[in-house]
Amino acid sequence: MISKKNRLFNNISSLQEVIDKSKNIVFFGGAGVSTESGIPDFRSVDGLYNLKWAYPPEQIISRTFFYENTREFYRFYREKLLIKGVQPNAAHYKLAELEKAGKLKAVVTQNIDGLHQLAGSKTVYELHGSVLRNYCERCHEFYDETIIEESVNSPDKLPHCKKCGGLIKPDVVLYEEGLDSDTINNSIMAIKNADTLIIGGTSLTVYPAAGLIDYFHGENLILINKTATMQDSRATLVVRGKIGEVLEQIKVN
């Protein structure tokens, strides 16, 4: 184990050493994991929160706004959250490779794009849901993302259930909504049982998701991020850089 008195920055060899010795790794990721695939984050200069809309984006993606101004919600949702043609990047593929090798036991993600699964990861806990899943609020029939895209041509521009005609809602966690309890519990158990927790592409400012790392009591807490986080002082190892560029240098043995 690397001494916390000797935290190392930008040291890929130390990261490789930890991964080689670990038997139960959990990865906790944020928006920075997907930005390398061309998906914008929320809080950067070019992020969604700094875009110019008639309403603040954080208001648009709230539960209240969804029900009070559904058409405007979907206009924003289709344009800014349903991003077409994106592909997994080096981080997604490396994590899938680590899982296949038996090293990585779970991915806990704040992202809603489904790129981890597209890259091949099997055990993925999506804290904030997924744009790839949508459900009818009346009969609970599930649909993929194409139902949202197709509805742009409907008279009211809203997606409706093909079985009962009910309004379809994305299976994503909006502001004013709680996280799914099963997803939270599974994430907590995975983190509790991990000997190494790798946190990447997140500033750890979004709660309650960021609070999950408090359940980690294993040997190695690794932080990989372009900028400093409030949790750097707790880390065994800190690596500065883009998560994809860092992880693609790791060899899976």
Side-chain angles (χ1 to χ4, degrees):
M1 174 178 167
I2 299 169
S3 171
K4 288 192 176 182
K5 294 181 180 179
N6 297 297
R7 287 187 191 87
L8 303 172
F9 289 77
N10 303 318
N11 194 321
I12 302 300
S13 62
S14 295
L15 176 59
Q16 181 75 63
E17 178 186 345
V18 171
I19 290 176
D20 287 344
K21 293 180 179 179
S22 299
K23 297 180 179 180
N24 189 333
I25 301 171
V26 170
F27 178 81
F28 181 98
V33 179
S34 293
T35 53
E36 291 177 67
S37 291
I39 296 178
D41 64 7
F42 281 78
R43 290 174 171 79
S44 68
V45 174
D46 298 320
L48 293 181
Y49 284 174
N50 292 303
L51 298 173
K52 303 299 181 183
W53 285 74
Y55 304 88
E58 60 266 37
Q59 180 182 349
I60 297 175
I61 52 178
S62 69
R63 181 179 178 84
T64 297
F65 195 92
F66 175 81
Y67 288 110
E68 292 183 350
N69 202 336
T70 312
R71 190 174 290 104
E72 182 68 8
F73 169 91
Y74 271 114
R75 189 174 75 87
F76 178 88
Y77 185 86
R78 289 188 190 97
E79 183 173 334
K80 295 301 179 184
L81 296 182
L82 276 184
I83 302 176
K84 300 177 183 179
V86 292
Q87 295 296 320
N89 60 56
H92 298 106
Y93 286 118
K94 186 63 65 174
L95 292 169
E97 187 181 354
L98 285 166
E99 182 187 49
K100 187 175 181 179
K103 289 279 190 179
L104 185 82
K105 304 304 181 183
V107 169
V108 180
T109 180
Q110 298 177 82
N111 297 330
I112 59 175
D113 48 51
L115 291 180
H116 285 292
Q117 293 93 325
L118 187 58
S121 290
K122 304 300 182 184
T123 303
V124 182
Y125 300 125
E126 298 170 307
L127 296 174
H128 297 150
S130 172
V131 297
L132 305 183
R133 297 189 303 270
N134 306 274
Y135 64 92
C136 172
E137 292 199 297
R138 184 183 298 167
C139 73
H140 305 292
E141 181 76 9
F142 267 82
Y143 294 88
D144 64 21
E145 73 280 9
T146 58
I147 193 73
I148 308 298
E149 298 169 345
E150 293 169 357
S151 65
V152 73
N153 297 317
S154 64
D156 62 1
K157 307 297 183 185
L158 301 180
H160 295 285
C161 179
K162 295 179 180 179
K163 288 190 173 182
C164 73
L167 178 67
I168 290 176
K169 183 178 183 292
D171 191 20
V172 298
V173 179
L174 304 177
Y175 283 103
E176 305 167 349
E177 293 182 333
L179 304 186
D180 178 74
S181 59
D182 287 341
T183 304
I184 286 289
N185 291 335
N186 288 333
S187 300
I188 289 173
M189 289 304 299
I191 291 171
K192 273 186 173 181
N193 293 329
D195 56 20
T196 295
L197 178 62
I198 301 175
I199 300 174
T202 174
S203 57
L204 294 172
T205 58
V206 178
Y207 283 82
L212 292 178
I213 68 170
D214 293 335
Y215 291 95
F216 176 69
H217 303 292
E219 288 188 72
N220 303 294
L221 176 60
I222 298 171
L223 291 176
I224 306 172
N225 203 47
K226 292 191 297 182
T227 58
T229 78
M230 296 178 64
Q231 301 294 337
D232 283 3
S233 61
R234 295 176 54 181
T236 308
L237 176 65
V238 177
V239 182
R240 290 278 180 267
K242 294 181 178 180
I243 182 70
E245 293 179 359
V246 171
L247 288 185
E248 70 179 349
Q249 299 178 65
I250 297 300
K251 294 180 175 59
V252 180
N253 301 316

